[in-house]
Amino acid sequence: MTVPNLTLNNGVEMPALGYGVFQTPPDETTTAVEEALRVGYRHIDTAAAYANERGVGEAIKRSGLTRDDVFIETKVWISDYGYDETLHSFEKSARKLGVDQIDLLILHQALPSAFDRTLEAYRALETLLADGKVRAIGVSNFMPEHLEQLLGVAKVVPAVNQIEVHPYFQQPQLQNMNREHGILSQAWSPIGGITFYRGGDKSTLEDPVILAIAAAHGKSAAQVMLRWHLQEGRSVIPKSVKPARIAENFDVFDFELTPDEVARIDGLDTGVRSGPAPEFITLENFGRVIPEE
């Protein structure tokens, strides 16, 4: 099975379905990513703050795939914002991943309390892009007001905005703004894992609407949610370390949701964010040193 590509606003093509390694322990990352690559994933999403870039790089090396076969996405952490700091952050990530060029490099958060540093970090991404060290650049968890400020000074429109999107939290205003500016919405926690693994009392995997649609197609709730994202044009990066789930999340291209089914899932939006509020992301709350090696 070949995953269809999405074309970013600078012409770079990226697989629509990727594999995420958020919260995957470093010692489990290589095995999990090796399995994902064996199943057929060709887009891996990691981040400096996950402390598992080295495991991703090792898995790609062991896979026997060529560098051009795998689309690598990683993120700069807020502690490394600032022009020179972000240039150095690229060097750290590239070294851990074992590559000379990163396909997509994005800013992990907006850092509203020090937005000048955020803007300098993005300027560094533009330099890395111009120098050919990255193929595309973007942002993550940027709200409309952050995008407005960025677009007011940026020379390059972000290719991607990676945001919390799942049936219970869809951020339509933000998705519309992304679309208007040619920015691809990339969904993290696409099957709503964040709604239940942090002790929430409502699970997307047990939602009766989603389960009814899943039963109609002979698919799982997770597969229905991934298909929903893909049909609405989003990039998705589900994560699991279980081989059966890794394979299940990949098996979403042999069925199609009807317009009515898509509308029913759209109707599940609660407007309630499960991830941290953007204004809560400060260096005081979340700053951490990203190691050199």
Side-chain angles (χ1 to χ4, degrees):
M1 174 63 222
T2 302
V3 174
N5 284 334
L6 294 167
T7 303
L8 304 180
N9 60 16
N10 66 347
V12 168
E13 295 200 341
M14 179 181 78
L17 173 67
Y19 177 73
V21 295
F22 172 61
Q23 290 189 328
T24 302
D27 59 345
E28 293 180 33
T29 299
T30 299
T31 302
V33 174
E34 274 190 286
E35 178 63 16
L37 293 172
R38 188 193 68 75
V39 165
Y41 292 85
R42 293 295 181 266
H43 170 193
I44 308 297
D45 171 77
T46 181
Y50 299 169
N52 57 18
E53 289 172 312
R54 186 174 299 285
V56 169
E58 181 62 26
I60 293 169
K61 190 166 73 175
R62 289 185 192 178
S63 72
L65 296 166
T66 68
R67 174 66 190 89
D68 290 345
D69 286 335
V70 184
F71 189 99
I72 300 173
E73 175 177 4
T74 192
K75 311 175 194 72
V76 180
W77 188 239
I78 57 174
S79 305
D80 283 341
Y81 283 7
Y83 184 77
D84 291 333
E85 295 89 340
T86 298
L87 292 178
H88 184 60
S89 175
F90 164 82
E91 300 294 343
K92 289 192 286 188
S93 287
R95 193 160 55 239
K96 291 169 189 172
L97 289 161
V99 298
D100 298 319
Q101 184 187 58
I102 290 170
D103 296 294
L104 176 60
L105 184 61
I106 67 179
L107 302 184
H108 206 144
Q109 298 281 352
L111 194 57
S113 60
F115 206 72
D116 54 335
R117 288 182 62 170
T118 307
L119 295 176
E120 284 297 290
Y122 193 80
R123 190 165 68 86
L125 295 190
E126 292 177 326
T127 297
L128 292 164
L129 181 68
D131 290 347
K133 292 186 175 179
V134 299
R135 297 175 63 221
I137 60 176
V139 295
S140 181
N141 301 303
F142 271 49
M143 298 299 105
E145 63 272 22
H146 308 136
L147 281 178
E148 278 181 17
Q149 292 178 71
L150 177 64
L151 292 169
V153 296
K155 294 175 183 170
V156 177
V157 175
V160 163
N161 188 8
Q162 186 186 118
I163 55 176
E164 180 184 346
V165 184
H166 46 77
Y168 288 172
F169 187 60
Q170 298 177 29
Q171 306 204 74
Q173 180 196 2
L174 179 54
Q175 286 200 64
N176 285 338
M177 186 173 182
N178 287 341
R179 199 175 297 113
E180 286 165 9
H181 291 281
I183 301 167
L184 177 69
S185 293
Q186 183 176 64
W188 65 256
S189 195
I191 61 175
I194 196 167
T195 65
F196 50 84
Y197 66 61
R198 288 192 172 169
D201 58 356
K202 200 177 176 196
S203 168
T204 48
L205 292 174
E206 296 168 2
D207 187 280
V209 170
I210 295 171
L211 287 174
I213 295 169
H217 291 277
K219 290 288 185 177
S220 70
Q223 288 170 321
V224 163
M225 285 184 271
L226 292 173
R227 185 71 211 172
W228 167 71
H229 286 288
L230 293 166
Q231 285 186 214
E232 293 199 332
R234 286 182 291 278
S235 161
V236 283
I237 41 171
K239 62 147 290 191
S240 177
V241 295
K242 298 174 180 173
R245 291 269 187 245
I246 290 171
E248 178 187 307
N249 290 341
F250 192 75
D251 183 21
V252 292
F253 298 102
D254 60 350
F255 74 108
E256 188 160 334
L257 304 177
T258 67
D260 176 66
E261 288 169 337
V262 169
R264 283 160 64 196
I265 299 172
D266 286 345
L268 298 175
D269 192 7
T270 66
V272 177
R273 182 188 305 279
S274 294
E279 61 273 13
F280 189 61
I281 303 296
T282 64
L283 288 166
E284 292 72 30
N285 290 334
F286 288 97
R288 70 182 79 165
V289 175
I290 302 297
E292 293 291 323
E293 300 297 339

